[in-house]
Amino acid sequence: MQTTASLEEITHLQDSVRRFVRQEVAPHLADWEVAQMFPRSLYTRAAELGWLGLGYPEHLGGTPASAALRNALTETLARESGSGGLMASLFSHNIGLPPVLRWGSDALQAEVIPGVLRGEKIAALAITEPGGGSDVAALRTTARLDGGDYVVDGEKVFITSGLRADWLTVAVRTDPANKGRGGISMLVVPGDSSGLSRSPLHKMGWHCSDTAHLRFDGVRVPARFLVGQEGAGFKMIMGNFNGERLAMSVMALGFAERCYTEALDWACTRKTFGSALVEHQVIRHKLMDMKMRIESTRAWVAALTARLDAGDEGAEWVAQVCLLKNHATQTMQFCADQGVQILGAMGFMRGTACERVYREVKVMMIGGGAEEIMKELASRQLGL
Ligand SMILES: Cc1cc2nc3c(=O)[nH]c(=O)nc-3n(C[C@H](O)[C@H](O)[C@H](O)COP(=O)(O)OP(=O)(O)OC[C@H]3O[C@@H](n4cnc5c(N)ncnc54)[C@H](O)[C@@H]3O)c2cc1C
């Protein structure tokens, strides 16, 4: 349990995020999107600023932090950058490392985590397969013990940072006789393993994020890279999703806010029929419909974050996180749609945040657990 963040800490963090985006992201974002990649040096820069290690223990090179402070980083970076691709890859370690941190041996943690938090190595999480992502228990990639190694065969798809990850936390079936959740384990696969091939995927949005298809053909991984116990992988995966879903909700909030401010600025300066857009009641009401959804999302995020910081991660909290993810991403979708409408043709042009967020909302509604799955999981957590 972490104490909550002080206003001073949050303000300081927000100021440094604004400066970073203004000086080191905004001037280059369009080029990175065309290149479908941002420079690797951005990881070391984010590490220097203390952001990669936020929430990780000190002995591994991190800085313990409350969920409130971590969310302040996520929301501000989302709002200022307006780029889901940047955030997805820059922080892919936040989905790749937690299983290692929570369940891995001390030796495995010491081998994998510090280099990532220094920004020298990249970590990713590989669960989804060509056969499906929602039904995790049905995954087919296998890892069989042979001497002191696991031998991995199979495929993973849509993997964020998959092209250049140095460490891949991979969900594998270690018990071929158990076709359900009990046969699944988590294994860290070094990115330079022989037999691992990776190819890029081209997407609707998140253009500066690398997203890959991975093939494992007889990849040998020393058994020390197993995370925790064999057969415990499903539980690890499910626990890991909670943090990811809360973070995605906070990102969605930041992107919605960005659409709102861009639309408001535009509405204040653009003149039609002799007056600024904002002076037309219809436009003001669109802005208020955006604001209403943003504020309800913000309040819900704050409530669940406070519960997390107080140590409450029970079934009811998990259900609320699932529903929050749906609400936050619907807020983002609504605000992107209304934002583009208020900007008119300009909202259809590359370079506006509304245009980018409009393209990037569907992945937020699908990745990390799709809407339908979120409702189902929430209802089961609530005992329905
Ligand atoms: C850009 C991007 C980055 C990603 N990054 C990663 C990553 O880093 N690591 C990783 O492991 N995965 C990643 N994913 C994959 C993502 O987590 C999956 O796409 C997601 O879990 C859904 O799986 P699926 O796409 O296979 O859809 P499916 O499971 O095939 O489902 C298709 C649709 O059917 C719905 N559906 C499925 N089952 C039911 C049901 N029982 N009842 C009603 N509706 C149902 C789903 O909600 C969805 O809308 C990424 C995806 C994208 C697009």
Side-chain angles (χ1 to χ4, degrees):
M1 196 202 322
Q2 296 291 332
T3 53
T4 194
S6 71
L7 192 59
E8 197 187 350
E9 271 180 303
I10 290 182
T11 308
H12 180 261
L13 183 72
Q14 289 172 329
D15 287 346
S16 55
V17 172
R18 279 191 207 98
R19 227 177 2 260
F20 170 75
V21 171
R22 199 174 51 243
Q23 294 171 358
E24 300 178 55
V25 173
H28 311 292
L29 193 54
D31 292 341
W32 295 343
E33 297 236 302
V34 172
Q36 309 225 332
M37 202 71 89
F38 57 77
R40 246 188 117 109
S41 57
L42 215 61
Y43 289 93
T44 36
R45 188 68 191 109
E48 281 164 14
L49 290 161
W51 299 343
L52 297 189
L54 208 62
Y56 291 81
E58 268 172 336
H59 72 276
L60 295 170
T63 313
S66 61
L69 193 65
R70 285 180 274 132
N71 286 354
L73 170 63
T74 305
E75 183 186 342
T76 314
L77 196 50
R79 189 176 56 230
E80 297 300 318
S81 71
S83 169
L86 173 80
M87 297 190 66
S89 272
L90 194 57
F91 295 101
S92 60
H93 71 296
N94 281 342
I95 55 174
L97 290 186
V100 181
L101 182 65
R102 187 153 177 210
W103 308 93
S105 66
D106 290 349
L108 185 61
Q109 291 183 18
E111 186 166 357
V112 172
I113 296 177
V116 177
L117 302 189
R118 285 196 300 271
E120 293 161 5
K121 305 278 182 191
I122 297 173
L125 178 73
I127 306 221
T128 308
E129 300 190 346
S134 303
D135 188 3
V136 173
L139 66 83
R140 293 160 66 170
T141 298
T142 56
R144 66 180 165 81
L145 255 185
D146 179 37
D149 294 337
Y150 282 99
V151 181
V152 184
D153 285 284
E155 285 175 77
K156 297 287 174 183
V157 72
F158 314 133
I159 305 308
T160 300
S161 293
L163 279 184
R164 51 184 185 182
D166 302 287
W167 301 111
L168 291 146
T169 307
V170 184
V172 290
R173 188 166 298 285
T174 40
D175 180 1
N178 187 334
K179 301 283 181 218
R181 53 184 66 178
I184 296 171
S185 305
M186 295 296 271
L187 191 64
V188 176
V189 176
D192 58 1
S193 301
S194 106
L196 169 64
S197 46
R198 337 185 198 200
S199 44
L201 297 171
H202 303 287
K203 313 177 290 291
M204 178 194 290
W206 283 16
H207 285 168
C208 67
S209 168
D210 104 52
T211 310
H213 185 140
L214 311 176
R215 275 191 63 89
F216 300 84
D217 292 304
V219 173
R220 296 192 78 88
V221 180
R224 70 173 193 281
F225 284 111
L226 179 72
V227 182
Q229 300 294 313
E230 264 198 17
F234 189 81
K235 188 177 162 192
M236 294 176 198
I237 294 164
M238 291 301 128
N240 199 35
F241 271 139
N242 295 325
E244 180 179 4
R245 288 167 188 159
L246 182 58
M248 288 182 82
S249 304
V250 177
M251 278 169 68
L253 170 63
F255 296 136
E257 290 174 314
R258 177 58 182 269
C259 292
Y260 174 80
T261 50
E262 188 174 67
L264 176 61
D265 286 350
W266 182 264
C268 289
T269 51
R270 182 76 166 179
K271 283 205 160 82
T272 66
F273 303 97
S275 46
L277 278 180
V278 74
E279 288 168 39
H280 301 298
Q281 189 183 44
V282 169
I283 300 295
R284 281 202 305 276
H285 287 193
K286 282 185 197 297
L287 289 163
M288 290 306 99
D289 284 337
M290 294 162 84
K291 186 84 176 148
M292 178 180 76
R293 287 165 174 81
I294 288 169
E295 294 307 329
S296 64
T297 305
R298 190 199 311 284
W300 201 353
V301 163
L304 293 188
T305 304
R307 283 175 64 178
L308 178 60
D309 277 333
D312 175 4
E313 289 180 74
E316 203 271 338
W317 180 84
V318 172
Q320 289 224 21
V321 170
C322 294
L323 298 177
L324 168 64
K325 179 175 180 281
N326 286 358
H327 182 70
T329 51
Q330 285 173 17
T331 295
M332 174 181 168
Q333 185 180 44
F334 181 85
C335 291
D337 182 60
Q338 297 297 297
V340 169
Q341 194 69 22
I342 291 171
L343 266 69
M346 189 52 80
F348 200 69
M349 296 295 124
R350 286 283 153 95
T352 64
C354 288
E355 183 270 341
R356 187 184 307 107
V357 176
Y358 191 90
R359 280 186 289 108
E360 296 194 339
V361 73
K362 287 314 288 185
V363 64
M364 301 288 282
M365 301 176 116
I366 293 167
E371 270 196 347
E372 297 78 1
I373 305 303
M374 291 299 86
K375 287 184 216 175
E376 193 53 25
L377 182 55
S379 66
R380 276 191 272 119
Q381 296 290 317
L382 294 173
L384 269 62

